[in-house]
Amino acid sequence: MLSIKTVLCPLDFSALSEPELNLAVRVCRKFQSQLILQHNLVTPPISLSAAWMWEETHVKEEQRLERERERQIQEVLRRLPGELKAEARMTYGPLDETIPALAKSLLADLIIMGTHVRRHPDHISKTERVILHAPCPVLTLREHTSPNLFSADVPQEEARLVVPLDFSEHSIATLEYALKLSQSFPFTIHLLHIEGSWALRDLRPGFALENRLKESEEKLKAMIPEQFLDRVRTEVMAGSAIEEIVARATQLQASLIVMGVHEKGLLSNLLAGATSTGVLHQSPCPVWYVPDRKVEGTSQFVSVGSAKS
């Protein structure tokens, strides 16, 4: 079974923070995890001249805001369920650096964070950067969605988990992670493989798309451990990976998508449009990203309170 001892949940006190916190509480209750709340504060400019100007015009306001954020996060801690072990951290620095660094320092097993509506198709969000550099899996939810993951409103036998696989080495690790997750909650697992509409091997005499789909279906079924055969469904289709994953999750009313995320330079991600980040901004349900590597990082942070004394 999956062990999740520590969950890190960044909060920015926007409208997205409440559903993000609710999801984190449900996950922590399910896995009996410790919850670490995080809020990131603005970092003054580095240069001496800019720092002087900053102090003259902003330091009092920043101090006031810091006190207000500490008050808010303490109020959140007080509102949490009594049986939940929780505390908070304030961080300083670029958000996409402080979150992975704090997660590493805490030995966090999971980061839970929301992502706001993408304002421009070429914009790389802070959530995308965290996913790419996090040392642990990242569970995300989109703005304006109502996640039902681990909700009492969804009968356990109706919960569906969608797992896109591309037959890479990391796909095997992603599948294993999803199967462990399903041992803690009886999801019906839907494995998806998306073939492109065209491939070089289609040029072989007597070979066609139907052959590729059949081969992929056989490979997908062969990946399923025997003890999970009664709970796993397989589907192979052709088309755009992002569109098909999102469409199938919507049709199934899935509670969760679990997918791998490969280390990829931000520039190439921007130019190529990775499937993982494409799904992030269109998914109808939370997406649980499983990384294929560890990262290094440092952070400045300070404890500001605990739900338990």
Side-chain angles (χ1 to χ4, degrees), residues 98-124:
T98 58
I99 293 176
L102 181 57
K104 181 186 176 186
S105 173
L106 294 169
L107 301 179
D109 302 292
L110 181 67
I111 297 169
I112 298 179
M113 64 185 300
T115 184
H116 296 279
V117 173
R118 182 184 260 180
R119 307 301 177 190
H120 190 278
D122 291 338
H123 174 68
I124 300 177

Side-chain angles (χ1 to χ4, degrees), residues 268-284:
S268 61
N269 180 57
L270 177 62
L271 296 175
T275 299
S276 55
T277 52
V279 172
L280 168 71
H281 293 290
Q282 298 182 42
S283 174

Side-chain angles (χ1 to χ4, degrees), residues 54-107:
W54 177 275
E55 184 173 354
E56 286 290 307
T57 57
H58 295 285
V59 68
K60 289 184 179 180
E61 175 60 21
E62 290 305 317
Q63 289 174 345
R64 184 200 66 78
L65 181 60
E66 181 173 350
R67 290 192 298 269
E68 174 63 15
R69 292 309 192 208
E70 289 185 0
R71 184 196 65 78
Q72 288 179 292
I73 209 161
Q74 290 288 353
E75 178 60 29
V76 171
L77 286 170
R78 284 191 289 270
R79 289 193 289 112
L80 292 174
E83 76 278 8
L84 198 68
K85 184 179 180 182
E87 58 187 71
R89 299 283 196 279
M90 304 291 281
T91 57
Y92 306 85
L95 189 66
D96 51 324
E97 296 178 8
T98 58
I99 293 176
L102 181 57
K104 181 186 176 186
S105 173
L106 294 169
L107 301 179

Side-chain angles (χ1 to χ4, degrees), residues 1-293:
M1 295 179 65
L2 197 62
S3 174
I4 299 178
K5 297 179 180 179
T6 303
V7 171
L8 175 61
C9 180
L11 298 176
D12 62 5
F13 298 109
S14 67
L16 185 55
S17 289
E18 195 65 24
E20 179 185 347
L21 180 63
N22 290 338
L23 179 59
V25 168
R26 291 203 299 271
V27 170
C28 287
R29 277 177 155 172
K30 188 67 184 176
F31 292 93
Q32 298 183 327
S33 313
Q34 178 186 24
L35 176 61
I36 308 294
L37 303 178
Q38 179 256 9
H39 179 70
N40 201 64
L41 294 163
V42 175
T43 303
I46 294 176
S47 70
L48 291 177
S49 59
W52 177 81
M53 294 174 61
W54 177 275
E55 184 173 354
E56 286 290 307
T57 57
H58 295 285
V59 68
K60 289 184 179 180
E61 175 60 21
E62 290 305 317
Q63 289 174 345
R64 184 200 66 78
L65 181 60
E66 181 173 350
R67 290 192 298 269
E68 174 63 15
R69 292 309 192 208
E70 289 185 0
R71 184 196 65 78
Q72 288 179 292
I73 209 161
Q74 290 288 353
E75 178 60 29
V76 171
L77 286 170
R78 284 191 289 270
R79 289 193 289 112
L80 292 174
E83 76 278 8
L84 198 68
K85 184 179 180 182
E87 58 187 71
R89 299 283 196 279
M90 304 291 281
T91 57
Y92 306 85
L95 189 66
D96 51 324
E97 296 178 8
T98 58
I99 293 176
L102 181 57
K104 181 186 176 186
S105 173
L106 294 169
L107 301 179
D109 302 292
L110 181 67
I111 297 169
I112 298 179
M113 64 185 300
T115 184
H116 296 279
V117 173
R118 182 184 260 180
R119 307 301 177 190
H120 190 278
D122 291 338
H123 174 68
I124 300 177
S125 71
K126 292 291 193 299
T127 305
E128 287 178 64
R129 294 177 188 268
V130 170
I131 291 169
L132 289 167
H133 299 295
C136 63
V138 181
L139 174 57
T140 67
L141 68 155
R142 285 199 308 127
E143 196 171 17
H144 309 313
T145 58
S146 300
N148 60 30
L149 180 63
F150 302 134
S151 171
D153 297 333
V154 179
Q156 294 194 7
E157 64 275 9
E158 295 181 12
R160 298 177 180 90
L161 188 159
V162 172
V163 186
L165 300 174
D166 61 6
F167 301 135
S168 65
E169 182 178 349
H170 186 49
S171 270
I172 298 173
T174 302
L175 175 58
E176 290 175 349
Y177 191 93
L179 293 175
K180 286 182 180 179
L181 180 60
S182 74
Q183 291 177 315
S184 301
F185 196 77
F187 292 102
T188 298
I189 303 173
H190 293 260
L191 303 185
L192 298 184
H193 175 72
I194 315 299
E195 284 284 338
S197 300
W198 183 90
L200 282 174
R201 53 184 170 151
D202 294 345
L203 299 177
R204 294 186 321 202
F207 202 84
L209 173 61
E210 289 74 16
N211 301 93
R212 277 196 289 125
L213 296 178
K214 184 177 179 180
E215 285 183 357
S216 294
E217 179 75 24
E218 292 172 353
K219 289 174 65 176
L220 205 57
K221 289 181 177 179
M223 295 175 69
I224 307 169
E226 186 175 354
Q227 65 268 35
F228 291 95
L229 287 174
D230 61 337
R231 294 172 52 191
V232 178
R233 312 287 181 266
T234 59
E235 296 181 72
V236 175
M237 55 195 72
S240 161
I242 296 172
E243 292 177 4
E244 296 297 342
I245 293 168
V246 170
R248 198 67 188 108
T250 302
Q251 293 163 3
L252 291 168
Q253 296 183 313
S255 296
L256 179 66
I257 295 172
V258 174
M259 63 189 304
V261 57
H262 301 280
E263 187 171 14
K264 195 172 188 178
L266 290 177
L267 179 59
S268 61
N269 180 57
L270 177 62
L271 296 175
T275 299
S276 55
T277 52
V279 172
L280 168 71
H281 293 290
Q282 298 182 42
S283 174
C285 61
V287 185
W288 199 311
Y289 289 98
V290 183
D292 63 352
R293 75 283 178 271

Side-chain angles (χ1 to χ4, degrees), residues 286-304:
V287 185
W288 199 311
Y289 289 98
V290 183
D292 63 352
R293 75 283 178 271
K294 302 291 184 181
V295 297
E296 300 296 325
T298 58
S299 177
Q300 291 181 296
F301 53 89
V302 59
S303 174
V304 299

